[in-house]
Amino acid sequence: MHVAVQAIDRGIWRNGLASEGTRFIPEETPLALTYNGGTYAVMMGTPQNLEDFAVGFSLDEGIIKSVDDIKSLDIVRLDDGIELRMWLAPDDAARISERRRHVAGPTGCGICGIESIAEAVRPAAVVPQGQTFTPEEIMAAMQAIAPLQSINLQTRAVHAAAFWSPAGNIVALREDVGRHNALDKLAGALARSRTEPRGGMVLLTSRVSVEMVQKAAAIGAPVMVAVSAPSALAVRTAEAAGITLIAIARQDGFEVFSHGDRVVARHATEVADVA
């Protein structure tokens, strides 16, 4: 049975004393993504929101251009893992067969199976301008994540990726033991709900690597905010993609690494009201 959280009995040694207890920990299982009968990749992930993961992975990897390109999607639960079986149009399937890879992706792996340096550092899509956000909106959005992380509230051991809308609320949040998987799941959730990404922010509870920026660019999100620091390559990639990269977000503020023009003290309408 594939569940997202398991209750595990364990021994405890703390402060020189021995005891026993139960702890909730996240599950991880092999997730095989197949297209028209052929395996493309095998990733380790949390067995939850798998339709979102299949769609988001396919979009972020450039396998499909739209959720409508997937003609059918079946979640097949096996004894030792789960297959996400997708069927595409013949032309798409033929293109995929040329780049198919058979890899076992460890938890958190974002570029498993890449066969060249050029593929690993491929240019990210350039995002639309989008809109501006105030520091108060950015901090409020990040503080809204924790209460919605149902798995992390139990385990304190998974990542989350969320999308905050201009209406002032989080419209989608997905969790996974792998930070890349969480973002793929979010991408799938947004695509399946036909949510327009250019109007909001992608929020991450993890660090920002180049693959995370590439995925956010594929989503089309102009702003991404993370609790941890970015890599230098992630900053350069965000700059080239037109993404406002905000990181080290805490209760008292954050740091802006690229395209800071989307962060404003006040919105234009607020300034007009004051005037």
Side-chain angles (χ1 to χ4, degrees), residues 40-43 57 60-63 98-106 108-123 180 210-211 214-215 233:
Y40 184 86
V42 179
M43 309 297 290
F57 179 91
D60 290 343
E61 286 285 306
I63 295 170
E98 297 178 2
R99 54 182 292 199
R100 178 168 292 144
R101 62 198 181 193
H102 297 263
V103 299
C109 180
I111 53 174
C112 303
I114 292 297
E115 296 180 351
S116 72
I117 292 176
E119 286 183 273
V121 297
R122 69 186 186 278
H180 302 93
V210 63
E211 316 95 271
Q214 291 168 336
K215 290 178 184 294
L233 180 56

Side-chain angles (χ1 to χ4, degrees), residues 51-89:
E51 291 86 354
D52 291 336
F53 178 54
V55 172
F57 179 91
S58 302
L59 287 167
D60 290 343
E61 286 285 306
I63 295 170
I64 61 174
K65 296 180 180 179
S66 165
V67 62
D68 298 325
D69 293 340
I70 299 178
K71 304 308 177 184
S72 68
L73 167 59
D74 296 312
I75 308 299
V76 182
R77 299 178 182 272
L78 308 173
D79 290 339
D80 54 355
I82 302 174
E83 284 191 17
L84 313 181
R85 296 178 181 173
M86 288 165 278
W87 291 88
L88 311 178

Side-chain angles (χ1 to χ4, degrees), residues 2-46:
H2 301 282
V3 296
V5 176
Q6 297 277 6
I8 302 296
D9 295 328
R10 86 278 194 225
I12 306 169
W13 285 88
R14 295 204 186 279
N15 301 317
L17 300 175
S19 62
E20 296 182 351
T22 300
R23 173 176 287 276
F24 292 100
I25 58 176
E27 184 60 84
E28 62 178 335
T29 191
L31 305 174
L33 297 111
T34 70
Y35 300 91
N36 291 45
T39 301
Y40 184 86
V42 179
M43 309 297 290
M44 300 301 296
T46 302

Side-chain angles (χ1 to χ4, degrees), residues 139 247-255:
M139 289 186 287
I248 317 176
R250 302 288 186 268
Q251 290 186 345
D252 61 344
F254 50 81
E255 299 178 22

Side-chain angles (χ1 to χ4, degrees), residues 181-216:
N181 294 347
L183 187 50
D184 282 334
K185 288 179 177 179
L186 178 66
L190 296 178
R192 296 177 69 208
S193 64
R194 311 290 178 175
T195 299
E196 174 53 62
R198 74 178 62 187
M201 297 182 285
V202 166
L203 314 175
L204 306 173
T205 63
S206 62
R207 68 181 179 87
V208 184
S209 57
V210 63
E211 316 95 271
M212 302 295 275
V213 175
Q214 291 168 336
K215 290 178 184 294

Side-chain angles (χ1 to χ4, degrees), residues 118-220:
E119 286 183 273
V121 297
R122 69 186 186 278
V126 177
V127 303
Q129 177 58 33
Q131 66 180 68
T132 60
F133 300 92
T134 66
E136 292 76 16
E137 287 175 326
I138 294 168
M139 289 186 287
M142 290 301 291
Q143 291 170 18
I145 295 177
L148 301 178
Q149 286 188 258
S150 60
I151 298 178
N152 199 56
L153 286 172
Q154 297 181 74
T155 67
R156 303 295 178 186
V158 296
H159 297 289
F163 185 77
W164 187 88
S165 78
N169 62 307
I170 291 178
V171 299
L173 182 147
R174 295 293 182 267
E175 297 178 277
D176 200 278
V177 289
R179 57 196 171 93
H180 302 93
N181 294 347
L183 187 50
D184 282 334
K185 288 179 177 179
L186 178 66
L190 296 178
R192 296 177 69 208
S193 64
R194 311 290 178 175
T195 299
E196 174 53 62
R198 74 178 62 187
M201 297 182 285
V202 166
L203 314 175
L204 306 173
T205 63
S206 62
R207 68 181 179 87
V208 184
S209 57
V210 63
E211 316 95 271
M212 302 295 275
V213 175
Q214 291 168 336
K215 290 178 184 294
I219 291 172

